[in-house]
Amino acid sequence: MNIAIEKELQKRLLVPCEQRLLSLLFKEHVNIEEIEDQLQGLNMDTGNHNYLLMLAHFGYNVDWMGFPKHVIPQLKGIYRYYQVENALMLQKLFMSTQKLNERNIYPLLLKGAAMRLHFASGVSRMMADLDFALEGEQYEEAVSIFQDMGAEYIVEAKHSITYKLGKTEFDIHHVIFKNNLEKGSDIWERVEQVEVNSCKFRVLSPLDMFVHILDSQSRCIFVDEMPERRMKWLFDAKMVLKMMPDTDWTAIAKRASELHCSYRVHLMMKLFATCFPEDISLEDAENLFAVDSGYGKWLKDAMDFYETIVPYMKERRADENSSITLRVIHLRIKYKPIRKEYRYYSHELKEVESGMCFAKYVAELYHLNRPVKLYQKFLSRLRLR
């Protein structure tokens, strides 16, 4: 069963033209035959802009050797477009960070923002939004600062709140890992401080950043977000590894265990090894990132959960005319995601007071009065402004 599910997940990740391009991006010497082979059947009208952006990034690296002349202006245009997009987003990040720094708040950059400003500077990948995390009371203080700046409240999740400044969305996290089990670990003690454009940020250590990439993207492999993300997470993971030239895979596996995400990291390392066997073989990934017998059950439960929750969310978005309370009740009864979600998280909840933890989680997210709770929270946010 495990092998069948993993093979299905591999199909969602491995696209030949994308994998070849990623390999070329990290190859020391590329010959013209490899470039011409990569460009065979290139469709500039493809919706995969991330692929075209990375292809443009590759073109700049090899002086466009082997690229057809009519393709070069189009790829350069795509590159310039995302160069401007990234610059506008970073302008908003610097502006807001100056306000935070004035209050001695130094945001911990995550995901694309961390890659762009520290781990892989340059316009090599797309950024959809900006993510950063804050500890304890600084989280509420940062929310208050964003409200004072006139940011538009978008949505609140159990791990973060989203605000919008102009066209730029900020995900302000109060936890680093979505399972919220890094609390009590030394992860905040291991962060590094960096300064960019007179703004002070914090970033995860390369080892923790690598684990975070695998953990955060593991959820996307089960859903329809992966086509937009599959190149980004592989590129990010490879770039972070370059900051660890003497990679200690045993230390990475130990760190994943300490941060309670061994199952997800095990899965993603096997996928990573399939794409980059020159870094680690599939056999070594399976052995070094070994998991206990509960992995098979977790994998099946994860597949079941996402196969349930994805159509549930799509139907919820599509049916916007009826009463929201009746719609929530109807969909909860139809899809019964509570039990499936408990099974999905159960391996992590065993590490804490699982009964009380999950009871609180269900009360906050699945109670039939959830729409009322959301509205009350929205009003409370307005009152803070």
Side-chain angles (χ1 to χ4, degrees):
M1 176 63 76
N2 292 1
I3 295 173
I5 294 175
E6 287 174 352
K7 282 186 176 178
E8 169 58 30
L9 296 176
Q10 279 186 12
K11 291 177 189 175
R12 303 178 187 185
L13 177 69
L14 302 178
V15 177
C17 66
E18 294 180 0
Q19 187 161 357
R20 284 197 305 269
L21 176 57
L22 284 169
S23 296
L24 293 178
L25 278 167
F26 292 100
K27 201 171 179 183
E28 274 191 43
H29 303 289
V30 182
N31 60 51
I32 194 164
E33 289 80 14
E34 289 174 311
I35 296 171
E36 289 173 346
D37 181 56
Q38 179 66 38
L39 296 171
Q40 285 289 328
L42 175 63
N43 178 12
M44 290 299 297
D45 295 325
T46 180
N48 190 348
H49 288 188
N50 200 52
Y51 171 77
L52 295 176
L53 175 59
M54 287 197 181
L55 187 60
H57 175 72
F58 173 68
Y60 277 105
N61 286 344
V62 298
D63 293 328
W64 303 101
M65 176 182 66
F67 281 73
K69 288 185 178 179
H70 70 280
V71 165
I72 296 172
Q74 292 173 284
L75 289 174
K76 285 185 174 180
I78 289 169
Y79 190 88
R80 284 192 291 269
Y81 172 80
Y82 285 108
Q83 192 175 33
V84 172
E85 285 282 296
N86 283 1
L88 291 173
M89 293 177 73
L90 292 176
Q91 182 187 40
K92 288 287 194 300
L93 177 63
F94 294 138
M95 180 183 72
S96 56
T97 301
Q98 285 175 352
K99 301 284 186 184
L100 296 173
N101 287 173
E102 288 170 7
R103 304 271 282 271
N104 295 319
I105 299 173
Y106 308 104
L108 174 66
L109 299 176
L110 298 172
K111 302 181 184 179
M115 294 303 301
R116 175 65 179 79
L117 293 181
H118 182 65
F119 293 99
S121 56
V123 190
S124 50
R125 69 191 287 291
M126 291 166 59
M127 291 196 301
D129 55 14
L130 298 167
D131 295 78
F132 61 80
L134 295 160
E135 284 186 279
E137 294 178 358
Q138 287 193 341
Y139 170 76
E140 289 295 339
E141 194 172 351
V143 169
S144 178
I145 290 170
F146 267 78
Q147 291 169 344
D148 290 343
M149 291 171 66
E152 177 189 356
Y153 168 80
I154 302 299
V155 69
E156 186 163 9
K158 61 181 179 179
H159 60 277
S160 68
I161 188 168
T162 303
Y163 277 91
K164 196 171 186 179
L165 273 174
K167 294 183 178 180
T168 302
E169 287 193 1
F170 290 79
D171 276 350
I172 307 171
H173 296 245
H174 57 83
V175 295
I176 300 170
F177 288 79
K178 286 186 179 180
N179 61 18
N180 195 17
L181 294 180
E182 81 271 6
K183 289 186 177 178
S185 75
D186 61 347
I187 193 166
W188 284 99
E189 298 165 17
R190 294 157 57 107
V191 301
E192 305 167 22
Q193 186 159 300
V194 296
E195 186 170 333
V196 185
N197 283 4
S198 301
C199 292
K200 293 180 181 178
F201 303 96
R202 292 186 290 179
V203 291
L204 293 170
S205 67
L207 192 153
D208 287 347
M209 183 66 180
F210 186 77
V211 173
H212 186 263
I213 289 168
L214 300 185
D215 176 80
S216 61
Q217 297 307 309
S218 67
R219 292 165 175 84
C220 303
I221 194 75
F222 294 99
V223 299
D224 53 3
E225 290 180 47
M226 188 44 68
E228 299 172 7
R229 295 173 180 260
R230 58 192 172 213
M231 289 195 77
K232 287 198 287 190
W233 83 262
L234 286 166
F235 178 86
D236 290 354
K238 186 80 171 177
M239 289 301 294
V240 173
L241 279 184
K242 289 179 73 173
M243 300 188 78
M244 298 187 286
D246 300 317
T247 305
D248 186 344
W249 294 111
T250 303
I252 294 173
K254 181 174 181 287
R255 193 62 177 154
S257 178
E258 291 170 354
L259 295 168
H260 309 286
C261 52
S262 293
Y263 290 171
R264 285 191 287 275
V265 170
H266 172 86
L267 170 64
M268 299 306 277
M269 273 307 304
K270 289 170 80 171
L271 297 175
F272 180 84
T274 306
C275 294
F276 296 116
E278 65 274 18
D279 288 306
I280 183 171
S281 70
L282 182 57
E283 183 181 0
D284 284 345
E286 289 176 335
N287 293 332
L288 292 171
F289 291 83
V291 286
D292 59 34
S293 58
Y295 170 75
K297 184 176 183 302
W298 169 82
L299 187 62
K300 182 180 183 304
D301 289 345
M303 201 73 169
D304 288 346
F305 169 59
Y306 282 106
E307 284 182 352
T308 294
I309 207 70
V310 170
Y312 159 76
M313 293 305 294
K314 285 181 178 176
E315 188 170 338
R316 182 172 181 176
R317 286 194 296 265
D319 183 17
E320 295 181 349
N321 296 321
S322 60
S323 157
I324 188 170
T325 304
L326 290 176
R327 190 164 75 250
V328 169
I329 293 171
H330 167 73
L331 292 171
R332 294 295 183 202
I333 292 172
K334 180 177 178 181
Y335 289 104
K336 301 186 179 72
I338 298 177
R339 177 176 58 83
K340 290 181 180 291
E341 185 152 3
Y342 177 75
R343 285 161 54 195
Y344 174 60
Y345 283 110
S346 61
H347 71 287
E348 294 168 348
L349 293 170
K350 283 188 293 188
E351 305 293 332
V352 295
E353 298 176 5
S354 57
M356 289 303 295
C357 177
F358 197 72
K360 182 172 182 283
Y361 178 74
V362 170
E364 288 180 353
L365 294 183
Y366 288 96
H367 195 276
L368 298 183
N369 289 330
R370 176 64 173 158
V372 176
K373 290 178 181 290
L374 279 172
Y375 184 62
Q376 289 171 344
K377 186 170 285 189
F378 175 68
L379 289 180
S380 70
R381 292 290 177 198
L382 288 180
R383 284 194 290 272
L384 283 172
R385 295 177 65 169

